[in-house]
């Protein structure tokens, strides 16, 4: 019985030593959390260049009654470029208006709209409007007041916070 007991004790001791050897050579996994903070950028909109519009009175034609027909010229709108580095979607609306007696834009709601998701960009390159000038209404005394205004406005829908 002593032999069996001694062998059992030796076996248990050897087993315990081998477990402790494995345990001593194993590194326990550890983890550390690192906070991530996203800092919002901005959405930027830029216009390209645009050329002056020349409406030449020498181009006037007359109808059968002898009245002057409207002068008409196509105006390429400036290229619009929207780069969205902010959170969420950004929408910019470009509108066109005319000022000066007899100066009008043919298209209702003339202009264009650009939308860019966060981290994307959008460009509009080929928008045009037709500008009309009624020569009978033109006022040379107020010639500095004649202009076509192209305006970019951010119209991004806002979601109310709850």
């Amino acid at each position: 019985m002593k032999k069996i007991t001694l062998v059992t004790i030796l076996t248990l001791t050897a087993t315990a030593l081998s477990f402790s050897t494995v345990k001593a050579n194993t590194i326990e996994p550890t983890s550390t959390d690192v906070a991530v903070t996203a800092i919002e950028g901005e959405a930027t909109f830029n216009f390209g260049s645009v050329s002056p519009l020349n409406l030449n009175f020498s181009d006037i034609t007359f109808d059968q009654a002898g009245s002057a027909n409207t002068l008409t010229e196509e105006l390429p709108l400036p290229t619009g470029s929207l780069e969205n580095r902010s959170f969420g979607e950004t929408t910019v609306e470009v509108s066109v208006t005319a000022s000066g007696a007899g100066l009008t834009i043919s298209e209702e709601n003339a202009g264009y709209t650009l939308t860019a998701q966060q981290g994307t960009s959008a460009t509009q390159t080929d928008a045009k409007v037709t500008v009309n000038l009624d020569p009978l209404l033109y006022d040379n005394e107020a010639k500095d007041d004649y202009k076509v205004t192209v305006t970019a406005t951010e119209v991004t829908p806002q979601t109310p916070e709850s």
Side-chain angles (χ1 to χ4, degrees):
M1 182 84 135
K2 278 187 167 183
K3 287 183 182 179
I4 293 175
T5 305
L6 185 59
V7 170
T8 305
I9 291 173
L10 286 174
T11 305
L12 287 174
T13 305
T15 305
L17 285 174
S18 68
F19 282 138
S20 66
T21 303
V22 170
K23 185 85 168 155
N25 292 332
T26 302
I27 297 173
E28 291 295 319
T30 59
S31 65
T32 301
D33 290 336
V34 177
V36 175
T37 303
I39 300 168
E40 185 167 13
E42 60 183 17
T44 56
F45 182 84
N46 296 303
F47 273 136
S49 60
V50 63
S51 300
L53 179 64
N54 295 312
L55 293 166
N56 193 336
F57 269 52
S58 66
D59 295 335
I60 291 174
T61 58
F62 298 93
D63 63 17
Q64 289 182 345
S67 295
N69 288 322
T70 302
L71 291 169
T72 302
E73 191 69 37
E74 193 171 70
L75 175 67
L77 296 180
T79 296
S81 178
L82 172 62
E83 294 183 354
N84 187 4
R85 292 181 173 90
S86 66
F87 300 152
E89 177 181 281
T90 299
T91 300
V92 172
E93 184 176 275
V94 176
S95 59
V96 184
T97 57
S99 60
L103 188 66
T104 60
I105 304 295
S106 289
E107 297 82 8
E108 188 176 325
N109 300 321
Y112 56 86
T113 300
L114 283 177
T115 300
Q117 302 298 325
Q118 69 186 35
T120 65
S121 64
T123 303
Q124 176 69 39
T125 58
D126 58 357
K128 298 176 183 177
V129 295
T130 302
V131 179
N132 304 305
L133 177 61
D134 184 339
L136 297 175
L137 298 176
Y138 179 75
D139 181 3
N140 195 47
E141 299 294 320
K143 63 184 173 188
D144 293 337
D145 296 338
Y146 282 80
K147 58 187 154 199
V148 174
T149 303
V150 183
T151 306
T153 308
E154 183 178 347
V155 294
T156 304
Q158 300 296 317
T159 304
E161 294 182 19
S162 52

